[in-house]
Structures are given as C-alpha cells and as structure tokens.
Amino acid sequence: MVQKQRIGILIVEDDPDMAELIADLVEAEGWSPLVVHSAEDAAATLGHEHIHLVLLDHNLPGISGRTFAQRIRTELGLNVGIVMVTAAGSATERVLGLETAADDYVVKPFEPIELTARIKAVLRRIAPSLKVEKEPERETEMNSLRLGDWAVDLSGRRAVCLADRSRTLTTAEFALLEILAETPNRPVSRSHILDRLGAESDRFIDRNVDVLVLRLRRKIERNPDLPQHIQTRRGKGYVLHTDNAEPQL
C-alpha cells in the first residue's frame, strides 16, 4: 500500500509559545510541522528534510526573516512556498517582504483561519498536484466510555461510579461530559462548550465553565490536582482522555 505524502511545513519562529501555536494549527490541518528558532537552524533543516512551505518570522535573531527568505531563493535555490509571519504590519514592510522573496504575508496577531487559508493558497500555486485540503475524518459514535472508577453510558445517559454507586453526576456535569466525549482526545474550547449547552448557556460565562470542569474533575478524577481524564490545553480549552476498558454498568 502506497503511503500518501504529508505536506511538510517548516516553522521558523523564535517565540516558543507562538511556534507551538502555529505548529498546532498546522498539525490540525493534517500537515507535518517542524519547528526551529533561527535562520541557521532552518537552513540546516531544509538541507535534509522535505519541506513544501516555510512559515518565516520576520524578526529573527541573527539573520532576519527577510534576508533568509532571499537566501532560500538564491543560495539554496529551493522551490518552496514562503509565508512571512510577523508583527510588522506597515504597508512598507509588507511590500518589502513580498518583493524580496515571500509568496504571502500574515501579520500578528492573526486569525487561525486566515493563516491556514494563506498557506493553502500558496501550496496550491507552487504544487497544484498536492492534496492541500484535509480529508474529512470518519465520525465514530462513542456510546460508552470508562473514566477510572466511572462507567458512562452515553446513549442511556447514565454515569455510575463502580467504587461508590452512591456518587452521581448533576445534569450540568453530565452535559459537560457529553460535550467533551463528542471529540475525545481533541481540545474543546470554552466557547464551544457554551454553545453546546444551548438553552442553559445564558446562565454560564467562561469562568463558570471552568468551575463546572473543576466540579466534574472532583468527582471522576482520582487526583483532581493531577487530572488524567479531563486536561486543560492552554488557549484551546479542555480535552477528554478515556480508558480503553469497556465499562460494565
């Protein structure tokens, strides 16, 4: 069976938090991110990795992003897409970035949808044969799950603590668990949780969602201070991790 080639995206960004954010966006699209923090490291990576597009910070230590973009085109002679990602947002900076070597220009702070759209547009131009769009994931309906001592039947709307059957979840706590269980192992944002709470959402704000998560953790986690099942993803929301064992109610 021939394995499909994944699109390689090199992220050249000296801010670790921003690099992590961009890498997560890239991975969410089904592409393969590689992160380096300087132009020198980027040059070494381009020498031995198959990269389709470079996301290049303008204000790098040492060699600037603009200078390195020119080097990619002239000295390295690579046919890769280049998208400048920078806080410099003046018209002059944009024109200079595009005139030197970049295929496109994104200004921080950016909307995730804008960055991915610009990456896709550049990839389509430079490599039209590549499958740029992410293939839709198959929906797998999860009817039951195991969370430590808890067995949860989503279709029957039941949650039982096998270690202490007198313990129960409130309606709001079970609703939160249902929302997180719709996409296990993937972050769910606070705003999405609010939307999914539907008619109840007028009683909630972001901080109340955090309180509800804390309440649910105190019931299902063996150590709420070190949660194994409901974990926080900074800037993204909450993610549910389940046990593999089949629950017996």
Side-chain angles (χ1 to χ4, degrees):
M1 180 177 175
V2 179
Q3 210 171 23
K4 286 190 291 187
Q5 180 186 25
R6 291 191 76 189
I7 295 172
I9 307 287
L10 179 62
I11 301 161
V12 192
E13 169 62 64
D14 63 323
D15 180 338
D17 290 337
M18 178 60 69
E20 182 182 2
L21 171 64
I22 296 175
D24 287 343
L25 293 175
V26 166
E27 187 132 35
E29 290 296 325
W31 306 325
S32 294
L34 280 172
V35 175
V36 296
H37 303 296
S38 69
E40 291 82 357
D41 289 341
T45 301
L46 287 167
H48 62 79
E49 296 286 347
H50 189 51
I51 300 298
H52 297 90
L53 183 139
V54 180
L55 288 172
L56 185 58
D57 183 32
H58 182 276
N59 298 311
L60 291 170
I63 302 172
S64 72
R66 187 193 309 160
T67 300
F68 184 62
Q70 291 175 310
R71 183 180 171 191
I72 291 174
R73 297 297 189 218
T74 55
E75 295 178 34
L76 301 180
L78 296 174
N79 181 29
V80 296
I82 300 176
V83 176
M84 301 290 289
V85 183
T86 178
S90 71
T92 302
E93 290 289 347
R94 295 186 192 197
V95 170
L96 285 173
L98 293 171
E99 283 186 348
T100 50
D103 296 289
D104 209 339
Y105 202 106
V106 180
V107 178
K108 303 173 188 173
F110 51 79
E111 290 293 330
I113 192 171
E114 177 192 6
L115 180 61
T116 55
R118 289 182 182 274
I119 292 172
K120 289 176 183 178
V122 172
L123 288 171
R124 289 190 195 101
R125 290 200 302 270
I126 66 167
S129 63
L130 282 176
K131 178 122 182 112
V132 173
E133 303 297 334
K134 182 182 178 182
E135 292 184 0
E137 297 178 0
R138 289 186 178 177
E139 292 293 329
T140 56
E141 186 176 358
M142 180 180 289
N143 292 319
S144 60
L145 54 108
R146 182 71 177 265
L147 303 168
D149 294 331
W150 286 80
V152 183
D153 177 4
L154 294 171
S155 58
R157 296 186 58 80
R158 297 174 62 208
V160 175
C161 179
L162 303 178
D164 181 359
R165 290 181 179 255
S166 67
R167 300 177 67 188
T168 59
L169 300 183
T170 65
T171 300
E173 291 163 354
F174 192 88
L176 172 62
L177 186 56
E178 283 184 305
I179 294 166
L180 296 174
E182 289 175 355
T183 52
N185 305 312
R186 293 173 58 187
V188 181
S189 68
R190 290 177 176 85
S191 61
H192 179 74
I193 292 172
L194 286 171
D195 289 341
R196 292 287 289 107
L197 288 170
E200 297 293 313
S201 63
D202 59 344
R203 298 194 298 110
F204 287 93
I205 57 175
D206 278 3
R207 189 52 52 195
N208 286 343
V209 169
D210 296 339
V211 172
L212 185 58
V213 168
L214 181 60
R215 282 169 40 194
L216 184 57
R217 278 178 175 160
R218 285 174 176 168
K219 289 189 177 179
I220 69 170
E221 299 284 0
R222 289 173 179 166
N223 183 354
D225 294 327
L226 295 172
Q228 299 298 308
H229 300 296
I230 301 176
Q231 297 183 347
T232 303
R233 292 290 182 267
R234 187 175 60 179
K236 299 177 186 178
Y238 297 100
V239 60
L240 177 71
H241 296 291
T242 66
D243 296 333
N244 292 329
E246 280 297 314
Q248 299 293 323
L249 298 184

